[in-house]
Amino acid sequence: MTVTATSVDQPDRLRTSPAPGAWRRRLQRLVPALASALCGVLLYVSFPPRPLWWLALPAFAGFGWVLRGRGWKAALGLGYLFGLGFLLPLLVWTGVEVGYLPWVALVAVEAVFVALVGVGVAAVSRLPAWPVWAAAVWITGEAVRARMPFGGFPWGKIAFGQADGIFLPLAAVGGTPVLGFAVVLCGFGLYEAGRLLAERRRSRTVRRAAAAAALLSVAVPVAGAFAARGLVSDKAEDGTRTVAVIQGNVPREGLEFSAQRRAVLDRHVKETLKLAADVRAGKVPKPDLVLWPENSSDLDPYHDPDAAAVIDEASQAIGVPISVGAVVDKDGKQLNEQILWDPAKGPTQTYDKRQIQPFGEYMPLRGFVGAINKDWTTMLRQDFSRGTKPGVFDMDGAKVGLATCYEAAFDWDVRDTVTHGAEMISVPSNNATFDRSEMTYQQLAMSRIRAVEHSRTVTVPVTSGVSAIIMPDGKITQRTGMFVPAYLEQKVPLRTSTTPATDLGILPETALVLVAAGGIGWAVGSGLRARRAGAA
């Protein structure tokens, strides 16, 4: 009976076991998915704090390979995997204090935009000179991400990974859209050049027009970057000023620091008094202006006499105006404000942060979020209100533009400080909530891009680090460590001329969006005509 059962069962097992060829085909279908996710990871590795900017090129070359000629469903999935591979590690800092769920939810939403970009790239990949159309599609995706939902989230723009790269001068030509476009175009062009080379070896024929387009896709961005170096300068045009950047540090890392608001203020006062003592001792020159970070005083100096008194003490000790980051209450509105504190007059000018952070400074969908986790809504009991006007402080005759922390990621928030007369820019920030994550280095790279984009000195005072002074050519001349008290002081150039990026504003981005729309329209029209011809 046993032998008979074996003889009957064995053929069934053989029939249900996949043939070796079937397994091979299944594995081959997984290759594009795995490659897409790995290319996303490669793109992440190209971002700060690693100076591996050039890895963005093979990342996009591989992305072009997996997408070229795909249908929209496959492209959607492959684009989503690329987005996950890129954004999951890039944005891991968003879950440092609130857990993995908000981090994963943010990435899941943001990767949808990358997935849609994948569909667009696949659609235009059949067109002549497709790398141009495809790179424009990517920048269109970035433009949409920077505006929606909830005011947008530009983190992860390709330009922000290029602070150490050869393409950096292009930021002065057309801002982050042109810089990012050049990098993506070069990456897609490298793949297309390799594909045509392999085709030539197989067929012994050369499609000259396609080869020329591929080579130009690589050569033009590189040549343009070298040509744009003439726009980058750190020469003073309206004299110089000696600036001091104060990093007071926080009592302990994490969200709990806000419960020790007076301690944070006292530490910034203490570091400023130390600077004043060093000035009196002749160790350092007297600064012309002092810059404190965002949230250096979470005590409202308009309503707390003790807070006002210690800020006044620091200002009088150093004898120059201080830009103080404070949380204030005005007419029932909570504002993230920079206050210009004069040693003789006290508070004079103010700037209220305009681009406030969703789920960090205000809570969209409060009821829905609270239903998931009440702790998240209790962390932010009252929403911050938005400011309405650009901030440019007159500090000892120097026009200092202000872009508070999160605002450095938004093109328009930084640009309009310069169009309103800023001769240098300050990015006061508070990164203590994000521990020692890569977030602070990613944000520092943004400020380096902004320095070149608008040809301005950029200072970055941060409560817990990394604080820095950046020249108009994007180079960091001084920086602090993290979670240490420190001050930086340096003579910096004031500049009044504007770059093409400043003058053109949104126009380069708009032009690239129109290019992408034209390419997708052409691709869709060609597909419809081909279907009609096939039906006929």
Side-chain angles (χ1 to χ4, degrees), residues 250-337:
V250 297
R252 62 175 183 263
E253 303 169 19
L255 288 174
E256 295 85 355
F257 86 93
S258 60
Q260 303 181 34
R261 295 176 294 176
R262 180 56 190 261
V264 175
L265 172 58
D266 287 345
R267 288 181 176 224
H268 286 84
V269 170
K270 181 180 179 181
E271 199 62 28
T272 306
L273 295 177
K274 178 184 176 183
L275 169 62
D278 288 346
V279 170
R280 289 193 299 271
K283 295 180 181 179
V284 294
K286 183 178 180 179
D288 298 305
L289 54 108
V290 175
L291 302 166
W292 284 11
E294 177 189 34
N295 298 125
S296 46
S297 176
D298 276 346
L299 294 173
D300 186 345
Y302 298 116
H303 294 92
D304 190 319
D306 289 340
V310 294
I311 295 172
D312 204 50
E313 176 190 3
S315 179
Q316 291 184 21
I318 195 63
V320 300
I322 302 177
S323 178
V324 178
V327 175
V328 304
D329 190 337
K330 291 182 178 179
D331 301 323
K333 295 181 179 179
Q334 186 170 253
L335 298 166
N336 187 338
E337 188 167 85

Side-chain angles (χ1 to χ4, degrees), residues 60-134:
F60 278 102
F63 194 42
W65 171 69
V66 299
L67 287 178
R68 189 175 186 279
R70 298 280 179 181
W72 73 267
K73 292 181 181 179
L76 188 71
L78 292 170
Y80 197 77
L81 289 172
F82 183 83
L84 291 179
F86 173 42
L87 295 173
L88 269 172
L90 185 80
L91 302 179
V92 67
W93 51 267
T94 59
V96 167
E97 291 294 339
V98 292
Y100 73 91
L101 187 57
W103 159 51
V104 172
L106 172 64
V107 172
V109 172
E110 293 297 311
V112 170
F113 294 99
V114 183
L116 295 173
V117 165
V119 175
V121 171
V124 301
S125 66
R126 299 178 178 87
L127 299 179
W130 71 266
V132 176
W133 309 104

Side-chain angles (χ1 to χ4, degrees), residues 133 136 139-140 177-178 181 506-518:
W133 309 104
I139 298 304
T140 299
V178 168
F181 175 78
I506 198 175
L507 292 179
E509 183 180 64
T510 302
L512 290 171
V513 170
L514 292 175
V515 169

Side-chain angles (χ1 to χ4, degrees), residues 222-401:
V222 175
F226 279 97
R229 294 171 70 179
L231 297 173
V232 180
S233 174
D234 61 359
K235 293 181 180 179
E237 296 175 332
D238 191 25
T240 60
R241 293 294 187 277
T242 299
V243 302
V245 170
I246 303 296
Q247 177 175 301
N249 200 15
V250 297
R252 62 175 183 263
E253 303 169 19
L255 288 174
E256 295 85 355
F257 86 93
S258 60
Q260 303 181 34
R261 295 176 294 176
R262 180 56 190 261
V264 175
L265 172 58
D266 287 345
R267 288 181 176 224
H268 286 84
V269 170
K270 181 180 179 181
E271 199 62 28
T272 306
L273 295 177
K274 178 184 176 183
L275 169 62
D278 288 346
V279 170
R280 289 193 299 271
K283 295 180 181 179
V284 294
K286 183 178 180 179
D288 298 305
L289 54 108
V290 175
L291 302 166
W292 284 11
E294 177 189 34
N295 298 125
S296 46
S297 176
D298 276 346
L299 294 173
D300 186 345
Y302 298 116
H303 294 92
D304 190 319
D306 289 340
V310 294
I311 295 172
D312 204 50
E313 176 190 3
S315 179
Q316 291 184 21
I318 195 63
V320 300
I322 302 177
S323 178
V324 178
V327 175
V328 304
D329 190 337
K330 291 182 178 179
D331 301 323
K333 295 181 179 179
Q334 186 170 253
L335 298 166
N336 187 338
E337 188 167 85
Q338 287 288 312
I339 305 171
L340 179 56
W341 205 283
D342 186 87
K345 302 176 183 178
T348 55
Q349 295 177 256
T350 61
Y351 167 64
D352 299 323
K353 187 176 182 181
R354 293 171 293 163
Q355 193 72 43
I356 57 177
Q357 183 180 351
F359 305 101
E361 291 173 304
Y362 77 101
M363 186 64 67
L365 310 174
R366 182 176 286 272
F368 175 75
V369 173
I372 298 174
N373 190 325
K374 290 183 179 179
D375 291 340
W376 295 338
T377 55
T378 55
M379 287 178 185
L380 187 63
R381 296 182 183 276
Q382 181 181 353
D383 291 342
F384 281 81
S385 296
R386 300 175 184 271
T388 57
K389 297 179 181 179
V392 180
F393 284 173
D394 187 340
M395 303 183 72
D396 190 42
K399 300 293 191 297
V400 182

